[in-house]
Amino acid sequence: MAEIQTKVILVGLGGATCSGKTTLAKHLKNILPNSVIVHQDDFAPPEELLPIKHGYQDWDAPDCAIDYPRLSKFLKHVKDTGCIPDDHRSHDHLNKHTDLPIEAECQRRLAENFRVIQDQVKESDHINIVWGLVDGFLLYWNQEVTEQLDMRFLLRLPLKTLEGRRRARQVYITAKGDAWVDPPDYWETIVLPAYLDAHREIFEGGDVENGGLTNKVEGLVLIEPEKEDKEMSMTDIVERCCQELYQLVKAEQVGS
């Protein structure tokens, strides 16, 4: 009997602060067998190393808000071993997230679809698929990190929506475990400029809010929940991602 090989598929779930990427990651984890979540926020540098801009600590600047070498090394470990290192500690569970449930029937159907196809892959190709769901607000800034992702999604919402959600967020727990509260003008002074800077090259004409995708990030799938012609529920978003991921597994079957 052939030995079972583990294949890790890393899925990037990118988007601005408060765009719903962590909620999406948690829904996908409930659907995809053998899945783990990697939160990019856990790889922020120590607070004392953050730059001071306009009198505030800058948690958002794309060039220094994430320890990219450490994140890249971590993703390589997950890819090579199929598991999270024993010494890794996430702080995400300390943060309050808005509950955006999906339809129960949808979750059951999708979970069954992936259970069946992954069982087929294991039986026919002797491959055990493990999913690494990587969520982060700066996923597509560092090329070494981006290249490790096998599937790349980006959630894009109107800036007004993002601003409203960010201002409504009372407290954020940092990677060190400390509580952070945004100063009153932190959105316009720090968060928004950093978001635009980090994503300008991804969109045509540098139009982060309305521009089409450039070829900066290969294979990037853009999801726009509040597009004027059709708003998407969280159920719709999960369905859309699962369609792409299911096709990815089907392609693996054909290619093996």
Side-chain angles (χ1 to χ4, degrees):
M1 184 176 179
E3 182 181 351
I4 299 292
Q5 302 291 321
T6 295
K7 177 179 179 60
V8 176
I9 300 177
L10 292 181
V11 180
L13 303 170
T17 175
C18 301
S19 59
K21 55 195 179 298
T22 302
T23 301
L24 174 59
K26 290 177 178 178
H27 283 306
L28 292 176
K29 185 180 187 304
N30 289 333
I31 289 168
L32 300 170
N34 306 327
S35 55
V36 296
I37 298 178
V38 177
H39 300 288
Q40 187 184 47
D41 285 3
D42 289 330
F43 297 86
E47 198 171 326
E48 57 270 19
L49 296 183
L50 293 171
I52 302 296
K53 292 183 182 177
H54 307 289
Y56 301 136
Q57 283 181 314
D58 188 346
W59 291 92
D60 290 72
D63 57 344
C64 56
I66 299 296
D67 184 343
Y68 295 107
R70 185 161 66 94
L71 174 58
S72 182
K73 181 180 177 181
F74 186 92
L75 292 179
K76 187 176 187 309
H77 175 93
V78 173
K79 194 104 174 176
D80 290 345
T81 65
C83 61
I84 300 289
D86 292 337
D87 61 352
H88 179 66
R89 296 291 179 271
S90 177
H91 71 285
D92 181 74
H93 66 285
L94 300 173
N95 285 305
K96 184 179 180 181
H97 295 284
T98 302
D99 185 25
L100 290 173
I102 64 172
E103 296 169 13
E105 181 279 328
C106 172
Q107 179 172 316
R108 284 193 297 269
R109 171 172 48 82
L110 293 173
E112 178 64 10
N113 289 347
F114 279 97
R115 183 193 66 77
V116 169
I117 195 171
Q118 288 183 221
D119 283 350
Q120 290 173 350
V121 170
K122 183 181 284 188
E123 186 172 335
S124 61
D125 303 326
H126 311 290
I127 293 174
N128 179 44
I129 293 176
V130 173
W131 300 92
L133 306 170
V134 189
D135 86 81
F137 71 109
L138 291 171
L139 269 193
Y140 307 120
W141 171 262
N142 180 274
Q143 187 173 355
E144 189 174 343
V145 169
T146 301
E147 288 176 350
Q148 294 198 57
L149 304 172
D150 302 293
M151 190 80 214
R152 299 157 189 152
F153 295 102
L154 180 66
L155 292 167
R156 178 167 72 173
L157 286 93
L159 297 179
K160 277 294 181 188
T161 297
L162 296 173
E163 179 182 0
R165 291 183 182 181
R166 178 71 181 226
R167 291 191 186 281
R169 189 180 79 179
Q170 296 298 310
V171 178
Y172 182 76
I173 306 301
T174 70
K176 194 176 177 181
D178 297 326
W180 166 265
V181 178
D182 284 352
D185 58 344
Y186 199 73
W187 166 263
E188 58 267 34
T189 304
I190 300 293
V191 179
L192 179 58
Y195 170 62
L196 297 176
D197 185 30
H199 293 82
R200 193 168 281 115
E201 292 185 14
I202 294 176
F203 295 104
E204 293 174 346
D207 185 353
V208 173
E209 189 162 31
N210 300 298
L213 291 173
T214 65
N215 59 3
K216 168 77 173 174
V217 180
E218 183 180 352
L220 186 62
V221 177
L222 181 63
I223 297 177
E224 299 181 274
E226 294 188 13
K227 193 86 170 157
E228 286 184 8
D229 55 344
K230 186 183 184 301
E231 289 199 7
M232 300 174 72
S233 66
M234 182 54 70
T235 298
D236 296 330
I237 297 169
V238 170
E239 287 253 30
R240 175 80 172 86
C241 291
C242 284
Q243 287 173 4
E244 296 286 345
L245 298 177
Y246 192 85
Q247 291 305 313
L248 184 65
V249 177
K250 291 284 284 186
E252 294 282 343
Q253 274 188 302
V254 173
S256 61

